[in-house]
Amino acid sequence: NVPASYMPALNGELRGGHAYQDFAVTPYLGSYFYIINTKKHPNVHFRRALALAVDRIQIPRFLHGGQIGSAQYMPGTPIAQLADADLAACGVTRDHPGVASVMEPGTLCYVPPPGLDFDPGRAREELALARAELGGALPSRITVKFNSGVELHKLIAEFLQRQWREILGLDVELEVQEWKTFLKDTADGDYEVARMGSIGNFPEPEAEFLPMFKCGVPDNRTRFCDPAFEAAMARAETTVDRKERLTHV
């Protein structure tokens, strides 16, 4: 784990654009995100408010590691950087926002749903809807957990703490835990909001990334369970044609 404070020197930001010879940034099939315990925060408007109040584009600017800020769950290549053949396979134009996952160059592509991207106005509207439904039970304070040992976890948590305080008026407490304790607490549902990540072996949303949100699976730390999502995954799992299968997810 390279501290974020080292990155500007390693990647050449502080050396006139000249990176160290043994430093390189290459694509990684991983997504970094925060999970919300849906049992402790069942109100969908409150959860949407948290998502909409995060300006993900700012995060790479203080991590300096070439990360891609995105509200899309499935990682991919910025659409603006795709080859022409991949754009055609994705069915989008170069000015389409977000990322796309190219599975077979020029043949098979998946454009993830856009997600709830940064929109302070909508975030406050969702918070108002949550307040109307919850009344005095609306949370004014939440605890965010992350594991120790990696500097970027702390930096991102502090960024979210500031965003949620300034945009939503929430009091956010940060709790740092040793890795094994963190894994146990999130698996047991002993958390409100926590940092998490998902690393894939292959660019397959239906097999590598989405199954962790199915009802009752061990990796579903959010306790999220939605019949429509289950039905979509079931259709994908029984569809042989790969291109058609992706339309279900």
Side-chain angles (χ1 to χ4, degrees):
N1 298 306
V2 180
S5 54
Y6 288 18
M7 299 300 287
L10 293 174
N11 63 24
E13 290 178 53
L14 300 180
R15 303 177 69 245
H18 303 291
Y20 278 83
Q21 291 185 356
D22 58 355
F23 177 86
V25 174
T26 55
Y28 197 69
L29 190 61
S31 182
Y32 187 106
F33 51 93
Y34 269 63
I35 56 175
I36 303 172
N37 188 333
T38 61
K39 297 303 180 184
K40 293 192 176 184
H41 293 294
N43 187 275
V44 67
H45 297 298
F46 182 72
R47 299 199 305 265
R48 287 174 182 166
L50 293 178
L52 289 162
V54 179
D55 187 0
R56 297 160 186 80
I57 299 300
Q58 301 299 328
I59 296 175
R61 295 175 181 174
F62 59 79
L63 296 183
H64 304 280
Q67 297 88 353
I68 300 170
S70 174
Q72 294 165 286
Y73 172 60
M74 176 75 180
T77 301
I79 289 175
Q81 299 176 14
L82 293 177
D84 290 341
D86 292 331
L87 283 175
C90 295
V92 295
T93 57
R94 197 169 298 281
D95 59 354
H96 190 91
V99 302
S101 181
V102 177
M103 299 164 182
E104 296 177 14
T107 304
L108 190 63
C109 171
Y110 174 70
V111 180
L116 299 176
D117 214 339
F118 183 54
D119 190 328
R122 281 189 62 199
R124 295 186 184 100
E125 289 173 2
E126 289 291 341
L127 188 65
L129 290 172
R131 182 177 291 108
E133 293 183 0
L134 297 175
L138 178 72
S140 61
R141 179 185 182 88
I142 59 173
T143 299
V144 171
K145 290 188 177 184
F146 61 94
N147 61 284
S148 60
V150 181
E151 186 194 41
L152 68 84
H153 297 335
K154 177 176 181 291
L155 296 177
I156 294 174
E158 290 175 342
F159 175 73
L160 294 186
Q161 181 185 47
R162 188 177 75 243
Q163 293 254 280
W164 287 336
R165 181 179 65 244
E166 293 179 353
I167 296 172
L168 302 177
L170 293 175
D171 183 8
V172 181
E173 178 182 356
L174 304 183
E175 182 176 344
V176 188
Q177 294 184 312
E178 185 271 335
W179 176 237
K180 290 183 179 179
T181 302
F182 175 78
L183 285 182
K184 183 178 185 306
D185 277 6
T186 52
D188 291 344
D190 185 14
Y191 77 97
E192 290 184 84
V193 181
R195 84 96 196 162
M196 196 52 65
S198 183
I199 308 298
N201 296 304
F202 306 98
E204 298 179 347
E206 75 281 24
E208 292 282 310
F209 289 89
L210 294 176
M212 71 177 289
F213 295 109
K214 293 178 65 177
C215 301
V217 300
D219 282 341
N220 189 351
R221 287 169 157 81
T222 67
R223 306 300 196 268
F224 173 80
C225 185
D226 181 79
F229 180 78
E230 295 295 305
M233 290 297 293
R235 289 193 297 270
E237 290 166 356
T238 57
T239 301
V240 176
D241 182 79
R242 188 84 195 284
K243 193 168 186 179
E244 181 184 352
R245 185 162 74 242
L246 291 175
T247 64
H248 297 308
V249 297

